[in-house]
Amino acid sequence: MNLNLLNVVSYEINYGLLLIKQQWIIIYSKEARERSRHTLKKQFDKQNQKDLQLIQKFEKEEFACESDMNKALNIISKKLKSIEIIKQSIVKRGCYKKAGRPSKHSEKEYDYYRYSSTFTLASSLQSFYDKLHQKSHFILATNDLTLEPKDIFDNYKNQHIVERGFRFLKGKEFLSDAIYIKSPERIEALLFIMTLSLMVYAALEYRIRKELSNTNSTIPDQKGKPTSTPTTRWIFHCFIGIQMLIINDTQQVMMNLNDVHKLIIRLLGGRYLDIYLIAEEV
């Protein structure tokens, strides 16, 4: 992502009853600007047509006096978002009270007048670029004042790891949609357990990937291709079918272990070797 750190500020805000000092950074993103340009252009064109219809409708209306016309114009002007009125020309039309074709009269002999307007218009590009400028930036905030701006952004980019974990919690395999509780205390307890489970899930994935990288090892992924960055979900799937056979309550045999299982278990260390009854290599 093409980024430019525009500003780094420290700002104090009231959070609850506590005064918490935060570090805010403002980031410019060229990619965000290009994404927003297309969306904003469509919105601007649509708003432009809407504003133009308001103006055209207003030009067809006639008013009893200029004051009434200007009051109505002020209301219309507040609704305009993408069009600016550059010039207003007032059209004055003389009228007669009696129907029928009048005889020759001068302008001074009209009974009353009706007023309307014509306009010279221009697109309000400033509002477009103001929104585009706003969409091209975003703010990151943290209460850790020791972090450098780049560290704050790197942590922000790594949020997808946490979001992927929560996607796992909401998946069908976790059966979270099959749990029905109403008590706030039980909901809080369940969220605590789910978060704790997610921490274990993420820690296991981190450890396996780190050990695979340190030992320059790989395991087959879902397509059978070697990978050093497997997901915990895939690891769990690989371990499906492993069973412990107990013979006469004295002998235990771990069944269906293959070389991939043993590699992962050895990477995790001695405690896991003991659980799966695998002898440590000398």
Side-chain angles (χ1 to χ4, degrees):
M1 182 178 286
N2 189 355
L3 295 171
N4 180 18
L5 299 178
L6 295 181
N7 196 11
V8 181
V9 297
S10 294
Y11 188 73
E12 292 185 0
I13 63 169
N14 289 319
Y15 184 79
L17 300 177
L18 301 176
L19 185 64
I20 300 178
K21 192 172 185 180
Q22 292 188 347
Q23 179 183 184
W24 287 19
I25 62 173
I26 304 173
I27 298 177
Y28 166 80
S29 169
K30 183 178 179 181
E31 284 78 5
R33 184 181 182 88
E34 293 305 316
R35 286 196 306 267
S36 300
R37 183 188 297 275
H38 179 69
T39 302
L40 289 175
K41 186 178 183 305
K42 290 176 63 176
Q43 294 176 353
F44 185 80
D45 290 343
K46 186 176 181 180
Q47 184 63 45
N48 210 325
Q49 291 296 323
K50 185 177 179 180
D51 290 353
L52 188 59
Q53 289 176 1
L54 283 175
I55 292 295
Q56 290 173 343
K57 182 179 179 181
F58 186 84
E59 287 180 329
K60 295 177 180 179
E61 294 183 14
E62 290 186 331
F63 299 87
C65 63
E66 290 189 38
S67 177
D68 290 346
M69 183 177 63
N70 291 331
K71 288 179 182 180
L73 180 59
N74 288 334
I75 296 175
I76 292 295
S77 298
K78 293 178 181 178
K79 296 180 181 180
L80 300 178
K81 297 180 180 179
S82 65
I83 286 181
E84 292 182 357
I85 297 176
I86 303 301
K87 182 180 178 182
Q88 177 189 10
S89 299
I90 299 176
V91 179
K92 183 179 179 182
R93 184 174 69 86
C95 301
Y96 300 98
K97 293 181 180 179
K98 295 181 179 180
R101 184 175 181 178
S103 57
K104 294 182 179 180
H105 292 279
S106 65
E107 184 179 346
K108 295 182 179 179
E109 295 177 336
Y110 287 127
D111 296 321
Y112 63 94
Y113 295 93
R114 302 290 292 176
Y115 296 87
S116 61
S117 295
T118 59
F119 301 99
T120 301
L121 306 174
S123 294
S124 180
L125 295 178
Q126 186 61 46
S127 62
F128 173 81
Y129 284 110
D130 286 345
K131 289 183 179 180
L132 182 60
H133 183 73
Q134 181 182 3
K135 294 288 185 180
S136 304
H137 300 78
F138 60 95
I139 296 175
L140 298 180
T142 177
N143 58 0
D144 189 345
L145 304 181
T146 64
L147 291 176
E148 294 295 327
K150 186 178 184 305
D151 297 329
I152 297 174
F153 179 71
D154 289 342
N155 291 337
Y156 166 77
K157 285 186 66 177
N158 289 330
Q159 282 187 125
H160 72 277
I161 299 175
V162 178
E163 292 169 354
R164 189 178 64 212
F166 278 102
R167 185 174 67 235
F168 165 73
L169 289 181
K170 294 186 289 186
K172 296 180 180 179
E173 296 81 1
F174 205 79
L175 299 178
S176 57
D177 59 345
I179 302 173
Y180 301 95
I181 50 179
K182 294 183 179 180
S183 169
E185 292 79 9
R186 292 188 177 184
I187 294 174
E188 184 177 351
L190 177 62
L191 289 175
F192 175 79
I193 294 173
M194 292 175 68
T195 304
L196 182 61
S197 301
L198 182 56
M199 290 176 62
V200 175
Y201 178 91
L204 181 62
E205 182 175 282
Y206 172 79
R207 184 170 178 182
I208 292 175
R209 291 184 174 188
K210 182 180 179 181
E211 293 300 327
L212 285 171
S213 177
N214 291 341
T215 59
N216 197 25
S217 303
T218 61
I219 65 170
D221 62 9
Q222 292 92 325
K223 297 181 179 179
K225 296 181 180 180
T227 179
S228 59
T229 56
T231 63
T232 308
R233 181 175 178 180
W234 173 242
I235 297 297
F236 288 168
H237 180 79
C238 290
F239 275 71
I240 293 176
I242 297 177
Q243 297 177 336
M244 176 184 286
L245 175 63
I246 301 177
I247 305 173
N248 296 329
D249 294 331
T250 58
Q251 184 179 1
Q252 297 178 343
V253 179
M254 198 65 66
M255 302 176 63
N256 302 324
L257 279 176
N258 58 34
D259 292 339
V260 174
H261 298 144
K262 293 178 182 179
L263 172 61
I264 295 172
I265 293 169
R266 292 186 190 281
L267 291 175
L268 292 174
R271 184 177 180 183
Y272 295 85
L273 291 171
D274 293 339
I275 293 173
Y276 286 91
L277 307 177
I278 300 175
E280 293 191 35
E281 295 180 350
V282 179

